[in-house]
Amino acid sequence: QRSISRHLSCAGTIAANFGSEEQPPGGAETGSEDKIPKKRFFEVQEERREQAQRTVLIHCPNNINEKKFLKYLSQHGPINNHFFYESFGLYAVVEFCQKDSVDSLQNGTHIPKQSAEPAIPFKSRFLNLKLKNSSNQIPEQLYAQKTNQSPPSSKKLFELLNCAESIDDQLNTLLKAFQLTEENVRLRHLTCSLIEDIAAAYFPGCVIRPFGSSVNTFGKLGCDLDMFLDLNEVGKFDVHKNAGNFLMEFQMKTVPSERIATQKILCVIGECLDNFGPGCVGVQKILNARCPLVRFSHQASGFQCDLTANNSIALKSSELLYIYGSLDSRVRALVFCVRCWARAHSLTSSIPGAWITNFSLTVMVIFFLQRRSPPILPTLDSLKSLADAEDRCILDGHNCTFVRDLNKIKPSGNTETLELLLKEFFEYFGNFAFNKNSINIRQGREQNKPDSSPLYIQNPFEMSLNISKNVSQSQLQKFVDLARDSAWILEQEDKGQPSPSSKQPWGLATLLLPPGTVYTSLSKKRKKPVSEKVKGLLESIKSSTTDSSKGTRGK
Ligand code: CTP
Ligand code: MG
């Protein structure tokens, strides 16, 4: 029980952060709890794609007058939506009502006059607005209002968590603070759409689709942007004339394998992004990876992008996670909490290596929720049994069929609280027989491990693959130790410790404190009572006023 005074004293802070300007961001995509039927994954993706095609990105002077800017742009047609954000300069995302307006704007846009450095005349939807008379001062209240695209700092997060009323409230607060905002979702789709324009120079009709945490409902502000080049759409709408005895085909180059084709395609797109892609920097071609990719930074949006090709199974697994994330409001809250917890204790990292990934953690939470009694989430096999003929999907010989209509899935009768689930999650995996069992969300039960990898999580579609093959024994042990410690800390909270004084971190805040403070593996040496440890931690929070958003960014 938390005091009402704590709640009242903090109410203002919460209103300021999640106040009226915070839109509930679009249905199941970001998990708002409305009763309207939830949209299918592909409907959401198609809507976002079409919206992005009517949108432009404009680099603006800092002292821009928002009203005049909008008036200037609306000469090309009505504007449906716009927002500003800061990322090494001021940027505007402007969505027109009609696509024609973008063409009109581009037609009225100049190629920059020869400056000190010669420019490559590539016309895109990423534009630069200049003031003809830049000395014109305008009052500050006319400046553009900026939206925030970054996750909260640790300091801010701890303030928010300490203001919450209960641990359940803390989990929901964490979710709201870290989930992708409506604007961030738009910016992600726009970035893909801009890259699509570049790829289309080689492959007209291609589609660049976002996948992974940008679209699977588990994305945190600051997460990378995974995208893939879908060439299956090329020629889909061509009208084939099969009359008579003739069939006409394109002459095409052939290569020895799909992998080589993917490498060749990504190689030229990578070159293209590097040479002509406005705002694309640090392009790296990682073509010998199991899944070849081009990695680059999209400077204006601030996204770290991973571009792959021929990767429709990953899109299907994003759709599956979207379904799991949309079925029950507890799922995302728990996944966000576990992801933040793992990041805070350096169990995950933005550098590839022997660490657990966010994707693996998400699948572990899903598996845990399938194991509750009654289950909170259905198994993949039961989602498959609900599928109809139209849901049938075979990709590269793998059966990826499952029901896609969320409204056909019966809600769970389980009413356990988030606090209980979090504690049980830590207890479950703190005592899981990782040495002999594997995790399998298809059947929703443990199975014998097929090989000696320390952590074995079966890929739901490519069933011979282990999605956590990279995880070392020592990283797994660290996860287990931290899970046990966290279960124990939550147990103590239950018993009323630490005392609920408004300044002391409690509940989730205690679990998310930086490493090296609370966690000296309590499971091995439980010497000090938690309250004493928490006092020490409070000191460390006070002294760390630096923004540690670094710790919550990335994977
Ligand atoms: N993926 C996979 N098998 C893996 C790793 C990744 O199928 N071993 C797929 C998953 O669909 C995953 C996507 O690739 O969602 C993107 O991978 P990654 O960026 O590592 O994970 P995200 O889910 O996007 O999480 P993060 O926020 O950490 O980027
Ligand atoms: Mg990702």
Side-chain angles (χ1 to χ4, degrees):
Q1 285 297 320
R2 305 292 153 194
S3 69
I4 292 176
S5 63
R6 178 212 295 278
H7 176 54
L8 290 180
S9 68
C10 296
T13 329
I14 294 180
N17 278 281
F18 308 120
S20 53
E21 78 275 12
E22 169 119 341
Q23 307 278 326
E29 188 172 17
T30 37
S32 63
E33 295 305 307
D34 38 14
K35 292 276 171 281
I36 48 168
K38 286 168 179 154
K39 285 183 188 157
R40 290 177 187 220
F41 179 75
F42 276 99
E43 287 167 356
V44 177
Q45 297 314 307
E46 272 314 305
E47 272 176 30
R48 290 293 189 187
R49 194 171 117 76
E50 191 274 326
Q51 184 178 67
Q53 286 171 337
R54 289 182 277 111
T55 306
V56 293
L57 179 61
I58 307 176
H59 181 234
C60 303
N62 283 324
N63 57 346
I64 189 137
N65 181 328
E66 185 165 352
K67 257 194 172 160
K68 286 189 178 165
F69 170 72
L70 293 176
K71 194 167 166 223
Y72 169 74
L73 286 176
S74 35
Q75 62 179 307
H76 301 286
I79 292 167
N80 199 35
N81 193 297
H82 79 282
F83 64 91
F84 291 88
Y85 68 93
E86 204 146 36
S87 159
F88 302 107
L90 181 68
Y91 292 88
V93 171
V94 181
E95 181 206 328
F96 287 98
C97 295
Q98 283 130 23
K99 199 169 179 312
D100 293 354
S101 307
V102 174
D103 302 334
S104 158
L105 171 60
Q106 281 179 314
N107 288 337
T109 298
H110 300 266
I111 299 269
K113 296 235 168 64
Q114 199 77 33
S115 61
E117 293 172 56
I120 293 166
F122 184 82
K123 289 183 176 178
S124 74
R125 279 180 289 140
F126 178 20
L127 312 169
N128 196 23
L129 184 75
K130 286 193 164 163
L131 286 179
K132 280 187 184 155
N133 188 352
S134 58
S135 61
N136 270 357
Q137 289 293 315
I138 61 158
E140 243 175 68
Q141 64 266 28
L142 295 180
Y143 280 15
Q145 293 290 314
K146 294 163 212 152
T147 58
N148 181 27
Q149 307 296 323
S150 311
S153 66
S154 293
K155 188 167 169 275
K156 181 88 220 155
L157 177 66
F158 283 112
E159 273 170 32
L160 289 170
L161 292 180
N162 266 9
C163 291
E165 279 183 275
S166 61
I167 293 186
D168 275 46
D169 194 18
Q170 284 187 320
L171 270 109
N172 284 319
T173 299
L174 185 87
L175 172 64
K176 281 187 192 159
F178 279 99
Q179 72 183 353
L180 303 182
T181 58
E182 165 67 19
E183 289 82 12
N184 198 267
V185 170
R186 282 172 179 264
L187 191 53
R188 283 171 188 270
H189 285 271
L190 173 58
T191 306
C192 289
S193 185
L194 295 175
I195 302 301
E196 184 179 293
D197 286 354
I198 297 171
Y202 274 105
F203 301 104
C206 73
V207 181
I208 298 271
R209 301 189 189 282
F211 70 99
S213 58
S214 299
V215 295
N216 68 15
T217 73
F218 297 110
K220 271 171 34 192
L221 283 172
C223 70
D224 71 356
L225 173 54
D226 304 292
M227 46 175 101
F228 91 99
L229 173 67
D230 189 351
L231 294 176
N232 290 327
E233 299 288 313
V234 174
K236 211 172 184 177
F237 299 108
D238 293 355
V239 187
H240 297 295
K241 294 213 163 65
N242 284 328
N245 225 355
F246 296 108
L247 174 69
M248 195 73 89
E249 282 183 344
F250 286 103
Q251 275 284 349
M252 293 200 288
K253 283 235 179 207
T254 55
V255 282
S257 69
E258 280 284 350
R259 181 174 167 83
I260 295 175
T262 301
Q263 286 169 329
K264 283 184 184 288
I265 291 165
L266 283 178
C267 185
V268 292
I269 303 287
E271 283 296 310
C272 202
L273 291 175
D274 200 15
N275 291 316
F276 314 127
C280 299
V281 297
V283 180
Q284 284 172 274
K285 291 184 272 181
I286 311 170
L287 302 177
N288 287 324
R290 191 187 73 81
C291 184
L293 76 144
V294 174
R295 179 165 287 171
F296 61 97
S297 278
H298 191 258
Q299 234 177 359
S301 62
F303 296 134
Q304 176 71 35
C305 303
D306 277 352
L307 171 68
T308 51
N310 198 8
N311 205 0
S312 19
I313 296 190
L315 188 65
K316 206 64 193 165
S317 80
S318 302
E319 180 173 15
L320 179 65
L321 294 198
Y322 167 90
I323 287 181
Y324 280 129
S326 311
L327 277 180
D328 188 294
S329 65
R330 290 167 291 185
V331 182
R332 295 174 67 241
L334 210 56
V335 168
F336 271 68
C337 178
V338 170
R339 282 185 171 206
C340 285
W341 167 83
R343 191 68 194 90
H345 298 291
S346 307
L347 282 170
T348 50
S349 166
S350 52
I351 310 159
W355 296 274
I356 296 186
T357 62
N358 281 328
F359 180 53
S360 294
L361 287 170
T362 307
V363 176
M364 287 167 93
V365 175
I366 291 170
F367 181 74
F368 163 75
L369 295 174
Q370 291 174 335
R371 304 292 301 156
R372 301 308 295 163
S373 177
I376 293 180
L377 288 177
T379 64
L380 177 50
D381 273 344
S382 70
L383 293 180
K384 188 176 164 197
S385 67
L386 290 173
D388 59 27
E390 283 186 5
D391 294 322
R392 199 179 137 76
C393 172
I394 312 283
L395 297 172
D396 301 336
H398 301 283
N399 193 330
C400 303
T401 306
F402 55 83
V403 62
R404 292 171 303 166
D405 183 353
L406 285 156
N407 303 297
K408 287 189 187 160
I409 309 166
K410 221 174 116 217
S412 163
N414 181 308
T415 55
E416 287 169 314
T417 64
L418 280 170
E419 176 177 355
L420 178 81
L421 290 171
L422 184 62
K423 198 172 72 190
E424 295 278 313
F425 172 85
F426 289 133
E427 225 150 69
Y428 184 77
F429 284 114
N431 297 297
F432 190 87
F434 288 109
N435 57 339
K436 59 178 212 299
N437 288 337
S438 69
I439 291 163
N440 174 314
I441 59 165
R442 184 164 274 283
Q443 280 147 17
R445 55 185 151 79
E446 301 145 13
Q447 288 194 315
N448 286 338
K449 272 202 302 194
D451 68 33
S452 61
S453 317
L455 176 62
Y456 198 105
I457 306 175
Q458 193 189 53
N459 184 308
F461 300 119
E462 292 170 274
M463 285 185 264
S464 61
L465 297 181
N466 171 11
I467 64 167
S468 53
K469 197 175 168 206
N470 62 311
V471 178
S472 66
Q473 184 60 44
S474 65
Q475 284 301 316
L476 177 65
Q477 194 53 50
K478 191 173 160 192
F479 170 84
V480 169
D481 288 345
L482 283 163
R484 287 184 186 170
D485 293 348
S486 302
W488 188 73
I489 288 179
L490 286 173
E491 191 76 42
Q492 302 312 301
E493 287 275 336
D494 250 6
K495 293 178 190 156
Q497 289 181 26
S499 65
S501 135
S502 61
K503 281 191 183 153
Q504 280 205 349
W506 57 276
L508 214 52
T510 329
L511 295 185
L512 298 180
L513 285 165
T517 43
V518 72
Y519 289 97
T520 45
S521 195
L522 296 171
S523 51
K524 284 183 197 143
K525 37 179 187 263
R526 284 177 185 163
K527 283 182 191 152
K528 292 183 201 165
V530 167
S531 50
E532 245 182 79
K533 286 177 178 294
V534 170
K535 263 187 223 157
L537 299 169
L538 183 63
E539 294 309 313
S540 72
I541 288 192
K542 276 187 198 153
S543 60
S544 83
T545 46
T546 47
D547 177 343
S548 64
S549 59
K550 199 173 92 201
T552 49
R553 271 171 180 272
K555 297 182 192 183

